[in-house]
Amino acid sequence: MRLVWQLIAIVAVSFLGGQGLVAVQDSPWLTLAVGLATAVVGVVVYRWVVRLTERRPVVEVALKGGAPALAWGTLLGLGLFGLVIINLAFLGSYTVHGLGSPLGALGLVGFMAAAAVTEELMWRGVLFRIVEGWTGTWIALTITGLLFGLAHLLNANATLWGAVAIAIEAGGMLTAAYVATRKLWVPIGLHLGWNIAGSAIFSTEVSGNDTPQGLLDATTQGHVLVTGGTFGPEGSLYSVVFCAITAAIFLVIAHRRGHIVPARRAARAEVAARLPR
């Protein structure tokens, strides 16, 4: 039942925050404020419901060390997406025409903050963490990654390839970041930095969501495997390769730290007992 109650709590925050963002979408400053408030409330509610249902300290969102981890993850997300854009620009597939909408970029920061925090709490904090305790790291990573990709098929400009790419990038890299650190701050930062770069800075489509214009007035053109097409650069092979490499690095770190939970029940219980939870 803990899985159900925790999911209900985070989905409720996500839904109410989403409704609030829709209500103030014409005001960038209010969108920023509502988005940041949703992110904060999401963490507070997660701490409360996990403590209530599991009777333990909620160390995965402990405030100590949270700010540096969040900042580091955000910078990494910005850098990874920037690397994708550099490669697209080198091929002539990304062109900047001038300044776009600085105020629009401000609103997108708030929107992406709400999305990054609530999605990471839901997918890594609740679903992956609990399923991992039942099945081990590798099976849980595969299951939740596939589900995360499938969930993106509901977006306005979704494509099957885009969903596969998201399953590898987010389902793989973000989950690996959690497994390596056993904290949610780095994956939240990674998710946030990646989305802010894609939307608020480089003005590209994000996950096929009909993303508004951000800081730059820019266009992408070229083969769908290079640009991601209507789904956005997350569907680019560059994104898949860079995120897969990053995921592999995190998983190596996780292995060295003894954070990989095996599938065998007896060994799983022994390893899980040693991990911060």
Side-chain angles (χ1 to χ4, degrees), residues 67-263:
L70 181 65
W72 183 85
T74 303
L75 289 174
L76 180 57
L78 289 167
L80 281 172
F81 197 92
L83 191 58
V84 173
I85 291 297
I86 288 172
N87 280 274
L88 294 186
F90 179 77
L91 294 176
S93 294
Y94 178 82
T95 306
V96 176
H97 307 291
L99 190 65
S101 173
L103 280 179
L106 190 70
L108 282 166
V109 170
F111 182 88
M112 294 305 172
V117 171
T118 56
E119 287 185 10
E120 289 310 302
L121 293 174
M122 185 187 310
W123 289 95
R124 259 56 69 179
V126 178
L127 283 169
F128 172 78
R129 180 177 58 81
I130 292 177
V131 174
E132 183 189 36
W134 298 337
T135 67
T137 298
W138 298 114
I139 295 175
L141 188 152
T142 302
I143 291 173
T144 57
L146 289 173
L147 289 175
F148 192 75
L150 288 173
H152 283 73
L153 285 174
L154 300 175
N155 294 349
N157 297 311
T159 64
L160 181 58
W161 164 245
V164 171
I166 283 288
I168 296 171
E169 296 158 7
M173 179 179 67
L174 298 177
T175 303
Y178 169 72
V179 175
T181 62
R182 290 294 160 179
K183 299 288 192 297
L184 287 168
W185 297 119
V186 171
I188 286 173
L190 257 173
H191 197 152
L192 178 62
W194 178 275
N195 281 3
I196 285 178
S199 63
I201 298 175
F202 294 110
S203 298
T204 63
E205 183 67 87
V206 176
S207 304
N209 273 314
D210 281 334
T211 311
Q213 188 178 66
L215 182 64
L216 300 175
D217 177 15
T219 55
T220 58
Q221 59 278 325
H223 196 279
V224 64
L225 290 179
V226 174
T227 66
T230 58
F231 193 77
E234 285 165 314
S236 167
L237 281 176
Y238 284 113
S239 295
V240 174
V241 171
F242 295 152
C243 291
I245 291 171
T246 306
I249 293 170
F250 275 124
L251 289 171
V252 169
I253 293 171
H255 176 72
R256 290 179 176 176
R257 292 177 176 176
H259 288 182
I260 303 293
V261 178

Side-chain angles (χ1 to χ4, degrees), residues 53-65:
T53 55
E54 298 187 18
R55 308 288 183 181
R56 65 174 178 84
V58 191
V59 296
E60 62 269 29
V61 287
L63 296 181
K64 184 178 181 181

